[in-house]
Amino acid sequence: MLFRFATFFIAGFAGLLIVAGLISREYAAWGIIFGVVVWLLWDVWRARIFDSALRAAQGGDALPSYTGWWGNMLDRVRRMLRSKNEEVAASERRMTEFLSAIQASPTGVVLLDAAQRIEWCNQTAAHQLGLDVQRDVLQHIGNLVRQPDFANYLSAGNYDHEVVLAAATSNAQRPIKISVQLHPYGEGRRLMLTRDVTALQLAEAQRRDFVANVSHEIRTPLTVLSGFIETLQNLPLDEAQRNRYLGLMAQQSQRMQALVSDLLTLSRLEGSPVPNATDKVTVKSLLDQCEQDARALMHMEPKLQNHALRLHFGYAQESDEASVILGAQTELLSAAGNLVNNAVRYTPAGGKVDVQWTLLQDGRGELRVMDTGPGIAPEHLPRLTERFYRVDRSRSRETGGTGLGLAITKHVAQRHGGELRIESVVGQGSTFILTIGANRIQPQ
Ligand code: ADP
């Protein structure tokens, strides 16, 4: 400001001196006016430069440096511009980060305008609904997702609930289900969220099947039992008949007991942490116990009596007999026992069951249970470890099966770092291979 006043007075004074010196002292006052007019013209010229500098800065050029009052103003504007630019850059950065976060989200996000046209969508939604992130912008969502359920949902206008659709990539072999829900926001806009619910729906279907299966499995022996009880109550039976009925009743209650016990084992396996790697189980004790149980089963189970089977337990190499598994004794016994008992139950008289333990080169352990039974058709193999899945329901029941044995065995194998493999040829026999992870085998 000082500079401005100084130049103003200097211009007036200079005008005065010039006119008084060159023309006459009489016109000195005009000289002041002349000086002031020149100063004003100079100031307007500087203002024009300031204005054009500002215009240039709007176009992205840097502001020039300038002295005096206009220069101070330019500096102030420069500082304002710089802080505004920084704010814009920061909010652009935040916006980019925000969009990348939404891109990375496993939830699909589609922004719809008031006319239900796509404004923006992330890759997840595009993949699930078969949209093109760029090409489909401003397209009506109803024209792109053409499933009747979605069209009804969109037109009904009640968005309190979700609608489940087939994903764009869904097919008969690999059905994929997508849940879609709209959430109104702003002025008539809608946020559309999509998520993959295939696993959820599958788990729900499995839960429903499981409850239905358990109820069915328990109801059958219960019906038989209550029928016998009624008979015993109402009919005058002799001693032999009574004993026969009581025997059959005991059989049914044993079946229920076996079922409940397998269900408890399964739920314990699913709900507990993996077994301690500090507990040691010797393979020899495991196989000895399995052999004892299998022989007992052959004597106890009425259908298996007089069932001449050759039962052989052995080791691939002599040194394998000393193998020690780091895991839970009860779990391993139930897994190996299930395989051996199945082989005994399903192999007809005159057949052979061979059980062999091998320490593999890569450090894993492998229990092979081979039988010369009826074998299993290839289409059943992938489903055998599902709960309650049986190839021959009546054969399983006749020999006291619950349909849960292989599901338990598979769980135990996985909890010990291994797996359950099944190889079988119809008419020739089956081999069930239970592997134990190398980290669960004590180094020798
Ligand atoms: P189950 O109690 O019915 O034996 P599992 O889960 O142990 O239930 O076995 C599932 C089904 O697998 C059985 O019902 C049977 O059809 C088939 N299976 C299991 N082991 C054998 C085997 N060694 N030979 C032939 N079929 C078998």
Side-chain angles (χ1 to χ4, degrees), residues 262 338-347 353 369-376 380 383-393 395-397 399-409 422 424 429-432:
D262 274 0
N338 278 330
L339 297 183
V340 176
N341 288 358
N342 275 354
V344 168
R345 284 164 46 217
Y346 291 106
T347 307
V353 172
V369 181
M370 298 163 273
D371 65 56
T372 57
I376 304 155
H380 296 296
R383 299 199 57 191
L384 279 191
T385 54
E386 283 176 23
R387 299 155 179 190
F388 298 115
Y389 188 86
R390 291 148 162 143
V391 178
D392 181 347
R393 199 164 274 272
R395 173 103 185 88
S396 159
R397 289 230 182 88
T399 54
T402 60
L404 295 172
L406 292 181
I408 291 174
T409 306
I422 308 168
S424 188
S430 314
T431 302
F432 288 76

